[in-house]
Amino acid sequence: MPKLKPSKKEEESTITDRNHAIGLLDSGVGGLTVAKEIFRQLPGERIVYFGDTARMPYGPRPHAEVRGFGRQIIRFLETQDVKLVIVACNSATAAGLPHYQAEFDLPIIGVIEPGVRAALKHTRTGRVGVIGTTGTIASGAYERSIRAINPEVTVFSLACPLFVLIVENDLVDTPEALRVAEEYLNPLREARVDVLILGCTHYPLMSHVLARVMGPEVKLISSAEETAREAEEVLRRLKLNQEEAKPANRHRYFVSGSPGPFESIGRKLLCRPVEAYQVILP
Ligand code: DGL
């Protein structure tokens, strides 16, 4: 497994204040699965989260458009004093991570490589399934990233566009969600994958449904854990990590749409109050 190397931008980063926050972005509630893992692994850190709920879903949109949204949100996060940005969205990572890294004076990490690293640690048979949005799957970013580490692995990728809408509309525990999951995942069951990468940060929110369909022999991989680990490593390298646990109410959540549905799903997932503010991006 390759060791993480500091990126050029990291070496150039001029941010020196440990008290700055970690910025996270997603099209909606999906990135909260990464936020949850940040809270667990890095309890001293404060987050500023942006959910672009007014323009969700990103998956069906052209990459250039999603990249534009990503830039706009990172610009907003910069105004909130962040020391690291996590693009907690596979579609936005696939659409433009190297662009953001080249354009901003901030360390920026995505969720695809961490997910791949986690999956390759677990596969025994070398048959790896990847599910994601239409944009992520069409980009081929997972295949490239997997092959760069292990060209022997066979990758089976599948777009599951309805899952994001099921999660955002709080329909995870309905018979319809189970039916859609069964229909989507059937080819991956037939392909006998032994790990399944949840290549969309919304999908861990319905992992119990996906696990029921795939069965106990298939390990589901969320990139959240490995992404939080990478964030910790980057901050430590830059001497910007904050170790002392702090009260939970310092976190900030922003959305481009109406705050209500985001707050209610967020509260359920994070088991803590989530108060979101609506921001109209220029
Ligand atoms: N959570 C996102 C992802 O990881 C975006 C899903 C969407 O908006 O389509 O891809």
Side-chain angles (χ1 to χ4, degrees), residues 1-5 117 148-149:
M1 204 60 55
K3 188 94 194 88
L4 286 174
K5 282 202 299 299
R117 283 198 299 274
I149 300 178

Side-chain angles (χ1 to χ4, degrees), residues 26-27 30 56-60 89-91 133 136 164 199-202:
D26 181 45
S27 64
M56 185 280 301
Y58 278 4
C89 170
N90 290 261
S91 310
T133 65
T136 299
V164 170
C200 170
T201 51
H202 280 74

